[in-house]
Amino acid sequence: MNDLLRAPAEVKYAEELDWLESIDDGAKPFTWRLSPRMVRLFILGSERADGLDREVEQKWFGDRSFVERAIVTLASDRGLLLIGDPGTGKSWLAELLSAAISRNSTLVVQGTAGTTEDHIKYSWNVSMVIAKGQSKDSMIPSPIMTAMERGMIGRFEELTRSTSDVQDALISILSEKYVSIPELDDDNTVFAKPGFSIIATANSRDKGVNDLSSALKRRFNFVRIPVVTNKRSETEIVRFRTTELLRRHSIDLDVPPTLLDILLQSFADLRTAAASATNEEDKLESALSTAEQIGVLEDAILHSNFFGDRVLKAGTLAGSLVGSLARRNPEDLAILNKYLHGVIEPRSKKDGGDWTEFLDGGRQAIATLS
């Protein structure tokens, strides 16, 4: 795992999944590797009441009911659609579910404007077709077809980014549970094995890009993942991801709790300002998600490690915040400048300390980008 830039969940948590599987005496649907209760425990972490010999860390932070509804959906014959704002952890939840259920989260199709029907069904090895003709050997199954053949979970990221004809191709797969291969005379149908399902994700901000048809919507159970607004939950998410970052880069650097509080408070302030804005021009282009908070902190940590004195400072954090959130120039810079003068400056005068350094770092970053 050390030689992988980013190990999939089933590799990263392989030892833990093996252990959970060894103690799991619950009923398992279809070809599932873990029972529904163990899938939930793997994702949400263990509690003292579980009576386990070891602790299972929490990996996804959100309402328990969302995870339970997702698991129940996958145990049925319906697809699962995780929908919400960018950065709410939809893809991470989909990966964890696939890893726990199938021990394979890599059967993924990425939805884009260039995604074609071949990407969710099959294509052909041209050189083999020329040499030997079309056959099962010269066919290249898509990740979705592979999931069907193995009775596993297939994933479709950014479903609403793909075109309507691609979405329509999913309807027959979700309804009939097979794919026809008209180019072949014999053995020309691939049937889904028990355990097959699809987890799709969609950003609510993409509404109107390629809206889902009513027919496709009926074949999915929707689980809406809200933006995390609970400060405690958000703190846990940021700490969890930051610990992973430091471990991955072998960085020995402390993240002072006071700076984490400053980061969380800044995002809370900016979200409040965005909610009260009367037009889009007064809102940052950023979704101000938890994932973007993690990105700001990651940028500040790496900058401090490589170009600073290996100590995370408030000024560096402010510079990372401005650099990460200012995507439109001059609109976003004007919004951030207004925030610094209207909110951070009074707070700096009142509390001083890190808030003063945060204010100075933010001003310097804005001046640099202006």
Side-chain angles (χ1 to χ4, degrees):
M1 189 176 76
N2 291 334
D3 59 349
L4 300 180
L5 181 61
R6 182 192 178 280
E10 64 272 15
V11 174
K12 181 176 181 179
Y13 301 109
E15 190 272 334
E16 184 176 274
L17 285 166
D18 287 340
W19 179 76
L20 289 173
E21 194 169 343
S22 71
I23 65 168
D24 189 4
D25 58 0
K28 303 177 182 67
F30 312 119
T31 56
W32 286 31
R33 299 288 294 270
L34 294 176
S35 66
R37 287 185 178 274
M38 281 297 184
V39 173
R40 184 186 65 182
L41 189 146
F42 170 71
I43 295 171
L44 295 177
S46 59
E47 300 175 351
R48 182 173 297 179
D50 294 316
L52 300 180
D53 294 334
R54 57 180 282 183
E55 181 183 1
V56 177
E57 67 176 336
Q58 187 172 1
K59 303 168 187 67
W60 189 81
F61 297 82
D63 195 292
R64 176 183 294 262
S65 65
F66 300 146
V67 177
E68 291 177 348
R69 177 168 167 75
I71 294 170
V72 169
T73 295
L74 295 172
S76 70
D77 62 350
R78 294 174 65 82
L80 170 65
L81 179 63
L82 302 175
I83 187 167
D85 282 355
T88 48
K90 301 181 298 296
S91 297
W92 179 232
L93 177 56
E95 181 177 339
L96 290 171
L97 286 165
S98 300
I101 292 170
S102 300
R103 292 296 289 267
N104 189 341
S105 64
T106 62
L107 300 175
V108 186
V109 173
Q110 183 66 47
T112 68
T115 303
T116 67
E117 192 173 333
D118 292 350
H119 290 117
I120 62 171
K121 288 187 174 181
Y122 60 90
S123 56
W124 299 96
N125 184 317
V126 177
S127 60
M128 289 185 67
V129 170
I130 293 174
K132 300 180 180 180
Q134 290 176 321
S135 66
K136 266 296 187 67
D137 291 336
S138 61
M139 189 179 72
I140 304 172
S142 71
I144 299 297
M145 180 179 280
T146 300
M148 294 176 68
E149 291 179 305
R150 298 179 183 176
M152 291 182 170
I153 303 295
R155 295 168 53 202
F156 199 121
E157 290 288 314
E158 307 289 359
L159 180 58
T160 50
R161 286 285 173 182
S162 57
T163 56
S164 57
D165 57 326
V166 174
Q167 294 180 17
D168 288 344
L170 275 181
I171 295 176
S172 62
I173 292 176
L174 290 169
S175 299
E176 309 301 332
K177 301 296 192 293
Y178 68 79
V179 172
S180 297
I181 311 168
E183 296 92 339
L184 301 182
D185 294 328
D186 301 313
D187 194 17
N188 58 4
T189 305
V190 172
F191 293 95
K193 292 184 178 179
F196 165 71
S197 191
I198 292 177
I199 304 176
T201 64
N203 282 332
S204 50
R205 290 197 173 200
D206 287 341
K207 187 176 182 180
V209 176
N210 289 296
D211 286 336
L212 303 182
S213 67
S214 297
L216 187 55
K217 286 180 179 178
R218 287 196 302 272
R219 287 157 177 83
F220 278 111
N221 272 355
F222 284 54
V223 175
R224 297 188 178 275
I225 309 297
V227 174
V228 177
T229 56
N230 180 278
K231 186 176 181 180
R232 181 179 177 182
S233 297
E234 198 161 42
T235 302
E236 290 174 339
I237 296 171
V238 175
R239 282 178 177 163
F240 176 75
R241 290 298 193 183
T242 303
T243 301
E244 284 191 327
L245 167 71
L246 295 173
R247 186 187 303 123
R248 185 170 70 246
H249 289 280
S250 299
I251 295 175
D252 183 16
L253 185 148
D254 288 332
V255 178
T258 53
L259 294 190
L260 188 56
D261 287 341
I262 286 176
L263 177 65
L264 293 169
Q265 186 61 56
S266 297
F267 267 73
D269 293 337
L270 290 167
R271 287 170 185 159
T272 300
S276 61
T278 56
N279 59 72
E280 291 299 319
E281 291 300 312
D282 294 331
K283 297 180 182 180
L284 288 170
E285 188 175 73
S286 165
L288 297 172
S289 66
T290 305
E292 286 173 309
Q293 280 193 69
I294 295 167
V296 169
L297 186 56
E298 178 177 4
D299 181 82
I301 288 173
L302 293 176
H303 192 280
S304 299
N305 184 68
F306 296 130
F307 302 110
D309 49 9
R310 297 180 183 274
V311 176
L312 182 61
K313 296 180 179 179
T316 305
L317 184 64
S320 296
L321 184 141
V322 171
S324 298
L325 301 186
R327 299 172 183 177
R328 299 173 301 171
N329 194 343
E331 293 89 350
D332 285 348
L333 285 176
I335 294 170
L336 289 169
N337 190 54
K338 180 180 178 181
Y339 166 65
L340 288 175
H341 285 282
V343 178
I344 301 301
E345 187 172 349
R347 194 174 288 158
S348 169
K349 291 178 179 178
K350 177 183 177 183
D351 299 329
D354 288 329
W355 283 109
T356 300
E357 186 179 341
F358 186 79
L359 175 63
D360 293 340
R363 283 173 170 170
Q364 183 177 345
I366 290 176
T368 302
L369 293 174
S370 297

